[in-house]
């Protein structure tokens, strides 16, 4: 099995993002702060070398890190 680019938590955040959840909803669901959610998103965007959340989602789908 290949190593994931993202941490388990970053992946969880994006799996909730593609379900159209807001930062606030994701924070509540994962029992973390909204700032932490934004940090996870920001870290993932940096790791993937893309611009914005949508770019990250597209890249993660291409890499089969997440699925719809």
């Amino acid at each position: 099995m290949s190593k994931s680019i993202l941490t388990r938590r970053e992946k969880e955040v994006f799996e909730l993002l593609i379900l159209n959840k807001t930062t606030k909803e994701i924070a509540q669901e994962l029992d973390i702060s909204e700032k932490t959610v934004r940090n996870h998103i920001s870290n993932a965007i940096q790791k993937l070398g893309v611009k914005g959340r949508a770019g990250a989602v597209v890249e993660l789908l291409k890499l089969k890190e997440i699925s719809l």
Side-chain angles (χ1 to χ4, degrees), residues 8-29:
R8 182 183 55 80
R9 192 57 119 184
E10 289 165 350
K11 208 165 159 179
E12 283 175 335
V13 167
F14 274 91
E15 284 167 347
L16 293 169
L17 264 183
I18 62 172
L19 296 175
N20 213 20
K21 302 256 186 199
T22 65
T23 302
K24 187 175 188 167
E25 289 168 336
I26 293 169
Q28 289 170 340
E29 192 157 327

Side-chain angles (χ1 to χ4, degrees), residues 18-48:
I18 62 172
L19 296 175
N20 213 20
K21 302 256 186 199
T22 65
T23 302
K24 187 175 188 167
E25 289 168 336
I26 293 169
Q28 289 170 340
E29 192 157 327
L30 298 179
D31 198 29
I32 56 180
S33 73
E34 288 181 58
K35 179 161 180 21
T36 302
V37 172
R38 287 191 296 273
N39 286 342
H40 285 315
I41 293 167
S42 171
N43 291 341
I45 287 169
Q46 261 190 317
K47 286 180 188 178
L48 294 164

